Amino acid sequence: MSWFEAFILGLVQGLTEFLPISSSAHLRLTAVFAGWEDPGAAFTAVTQIGTEAAVLIYFRKDIVRIVSAWFRSLYDRRARREHDAKLGWLVIVGSIPIGVLGLTLKDYIEGPFRDLRLIATTLIVLGIVLGVADRLASRDASGGRHRAVRERKSLERLTVRDGLLFGMAQAMALIPGVSRSGATISGGLFMGYSREAAARYSFLLAIPAVLASGLFELTEIGEGHVSWAPTLFATTLSFLVAYAVIAWFMKFISTRSFMPFVVYRILLGLLIFALIATGAVSPHAGESLG
């Protein structure tokens, strides 16, 4: 991997990780369209450490408060009733599905799941799912002729059941094209949470999963065409870009819907199918090179 490839892929990772459009799919597609070797699941996982570092800094006050309350809950029974302590436990609970499935499906994640036909399908399907979920949220917020405005749930109302459902939705992002934030936010919207609450929990829930995945895949870097120095460069760049994206995204969803991302996902998925159908791109492009 050249330094230029690392620069572009790090930029793409930072731009797409927290938007509901799938960073893993965009890393795969960027390499395909540029004629590069597939960066692989290990490169994706390690560069995501950079984007999660951005989450740790952006939400540092929330994270310090949650971790502090969680530790107190280990020995102080009264602290277990605090919302932050409960949230800490629910992040752990919600991380179980992706941890179990990530280890179970590791060979598929690094192989068959990177087929461009599967990526195109998940881009379109999750795009439709996100669109339906977003429409439900908009309807609740605006009410209507025969409907009253319905208040959506905040994270204070998060339960163990909902935490597990969030976690199951996040686990779907093991398939490139699904999108971690897209899946968890969609799940949250279907469960009646506000856009802001679903997005915030999505970011918090991703921390243990992404950090564990990145550390687990560290041993894979250096094998094949992906070397350490470009990977570290891409990871650093993804951190810088992701921090700006988080700040923008949290402001965006407070007043806007997810429909631009829905349209983008569907059009991109259709484009990939068209390119494959015409023979312009192979479903396995880049795989034999990596």
Side-chain angles (χ1 to χ4, degrees), residues 7-42:
F7 173 79
I8 296 299
L9 294 175
L11 186 64
V12 170
Q13 170 63 34
L15 286 171
T16 59
E17 173 66 20
F18 300 114
L19 302 182
I21 56 176
S22 179
S23 62
S24 57
H26 278 75
L27 288 176
R28 175 85 170 94
L29 292 171
T30 299
V32 167
F33 293 147
W36 300 335
E37 301 175 39
D38 182 357

Side-chain angles (χ1 to χ4, degrees), residues 37 48 93 96 98 178 185 192 205 208 216 246 261:
E37 301 175 39
Q48 284 176 338
V93 169
I96 294 174
I98 196 170
V178 170
I185 290 172
L205 189 61
F216 182 76
I246 294 173
F261 303 110

Side-chain angles (χ1 to χ4, degrees), residues 27-28 31 36-41 110 114 225-226 285-287 289-290:
L27 288 176
R28 175 85 170 94
W36 300 335
E37 301 175 39
D38 182 357
E110 297 176 347
R114 302 185 74 78
H225 74 289
V226 179
E287 290 182 3
L289 300 172

Side-chain angles (χ1 to χ4, degrees), residues 41 101-103 105-114 174-176:
L101 291 176
L103 292 173
L105 302 175
K106 184 177 186 297
D107 291 339
Y108 291 93
I109 295 168
E110 297 176 347
F113 283 0
R114 302 185 74 78
L174 292 170
I175 305 173

Side-chain angles (χ1 to χ4, degrees), residues 2 9 19 40 45-46 76 79 86 96-98 100-101 103-104 108 111 140 152-153 186 198 228 259 263 276:
S2 69
L9 294 175
L19 302 182
V46 173
D76 186 347
K86 292 179 181 178
I96 294 174
I98 196 170
V100 173
L101 291 176
L103 292 173
T104 304
Y108 291 93
D140 287 346
R152 299 219 125 210
K153 293 189 287 187
S186 295
W228 267 107
M259 289 311 297
V263 173
I276 292 173

Side-chain angles (χ1 to χ4, degrees), residues 40-280:
F43 176 85
T44 300
V46 173
T47 54
Q48 284 176 338
I49 294 177
T51 54
E52 285 312 304
V55 172
L56 291 173
I57 294 177
Y58 186 85
F59 292 108
R60 60 189 179 279
K61 293 181 181 179
D62 291 355
I63 293 171
V64 168
R65 195 176 63 248
I66 291 169
V67 172
S68 176
W70 181 81
F71 272 112
R72 288 201 309 274
S73 73
L74 295 176
Y75 57 85
D76 186 347
R77 188 170 297 179
R78 290 173 300 178
R80 297 171 192 171
R81 294 193 291 268
E82 296 179 17
H83 165 67
D84 288 327
K86 292 179 181 178
L87 191 56
W89 283 108
L90 290 173
V91 167
I92 295 174
V93 169
S95 300
I96 294 174
I98 196 170
V100 173
L101 291 176
L103 292 173
T104 304
L105 302 175
K106 184 177 186 297
D107 291 339
Y108 291 93
I109 295 168
E110 297 176 347
F113 283 0
R114 302 185 74 78
D115 188 306
L116 294 182
R117 291 166 297 191
L118 178 59
I119 291 175
T121 300
T122 53
L123 281 169
I124 294 171
V125 172
L126 199 281
I128 294 172
V129 170
L130 178 61
V132 173
D134 188 65
R135 177 59 183 164
L136 292 175
S138 297
R139 187 179 65 180
D140 287 346
S142 61
R145 196 170 183 179
H146 304 292
R147 298 185 305 271
V149 173
R150 178 185 175 189
E151 183 179 358
R152 299 219 125 210
K153 293 189 287 187
S154 66
L155 287 184
E156 280 72 18
R157 297 172 62 184
L158 187 66
T159 63
V160 173
R161 168 189 167 276
D162 289 355
L164 275 173
L165 290 176
F166 265 112
M168 291 173 65
Q170 177 183 235
M172 295 299 295
L174 292 170
I175 305 173
V178 170
S179 169
R180 187 189 311 276
S181 63
T184 50
I185 290 172
S186 295
L189 294 179
F190 277 121
M191 287 187 284
Y193 289 89
S194 68
R195 292 189 182 99
E196 296 88 339
R200 185 173 290 268
Y201 187 63
S202 171
F203 291 164
L204 294 175
L205 189 61
I207 294 173
V210 171
L211 293 180
S213 175
L215 293 174
F216 182 76
E217 294 285 1
L218 281 176
T219 56
E220 302 294 328
I221 303 298
E223 300 182 4
H225 74 289
V226 179
S227 55
W228 267 107
T231 300
L232 291 176
F233 173 62
T235 302
T236 302
L237 181 60
S238 70
F239 158 71
L240 297 173
V241 176
Y243 187 87
V245 171
I246 294 173
W248 173 83
F249 186 63
M250 293 305 293
K251 292 179 180 178
F252 177 88
I253 62 174
S254 64
T255 57
R256 304 282 296 278
S257 78
F258 290 110
M259 289 311 297
F261 303 110
V262 172
V263 173
Y264 173 78
R265 290 181 63 100
I266 294 174
L267 291 178
L268 180 58
L270 292 175
L271 174 62
I272 296 169
F273 275 129
L275 292 174
I276 292 173
T278 59

